[in-house]
Amino acid sequence: MLITFTSKAAAEVTMYKEHAKRMLDLIGKDVSRGVITAAEAPRAVEVLEKEIAESRKHQASDDVQRDIHAHHGEVNEDKDHEGMEVVSFATRAYPLLEMLRAARNGGHDVLWGV
């Protein structure tokens, strides 16, 4: 399922619900429907920036774990596989983070599910 974030401050941002949930959980918002007010935007930006910085510290180990689970199962070993292309949390969060920055700077709310 997709979630579309809207704001007068920026163009719409659409992402998968499962990816949006992680970001909204960090901010303390419901994934189904909600609002981040202009007053809440500075804290939301701060929280996402902090999580992005933290996720970058552990990126290599996360990639290795995903690769192990994807290609080494109980049935067979896939030793001749192509490398996985991983989309980092920072990359997924960037469009929403930019929208939140614009909303904070312009004094606008960010809405979804309405």
Side-chain angles (χ1 to χ4, degrees):
M1 175 175 268
L2 297 174
I3 301 252
T4 301
F5 296 92
T6 60
S7 177
K8 291 182 180 180
E12 289 183 348
V13 172
T14 301
M15 64 177 65
Y16 286 108
K17 185 176 184 177
E18 66 189 79
H19 301 253
K21 182 176 182 346
R22 178 176 176 195
M23 292 171 226
L24 292 171
D25 283 349
L26 290 168
I27 301 168
K29 298 290 184 175
D30 180 46
V31 71
S32 299
R33 160 181 188 177
V35 61
I36 299 171
T37 65
E40 295 171 319
R43 182 186 164 279
V45 168
E46 182 181 320
V47 168
L48 286 179
E49 287 175 341
K50 183 177 178 183
E51 184 67 16
I52 287 168
E54 188 63 29
S55 72
R56 286 183 173 153
K57 291 178 186 176
H58 307 288
Q59 184 64 41
S61 63
D62 291 345
D63 292 348
V64 170
Q65 287 299 320
R66 276 193 281 275
D67 190 53
I68 288 169
H69 291 297
H71 299 290
H72 303 286
E74 295 176 9
V75 177
N76 62 18
E77 292 284 320
D78 178 13
K79 294 180 181 148
D80 298 320
H81 62 274
E82 294 187 22
M84 278 183 68
E85 292 184 31
V86 177
V87 179
S88 69
F89 176 76
T91 301
R92 292 191 195 286
Y94 182 79
L96 180 59
L97 181 58
E98 284 299 298
M99 176 183 271
L100 287 168
R101 287 177 179 151
R104 173 194 64 194
N105 296 342
H108 299 287
D109 298 340
V110 174
L111 304 136
W112 65 95
V114 290

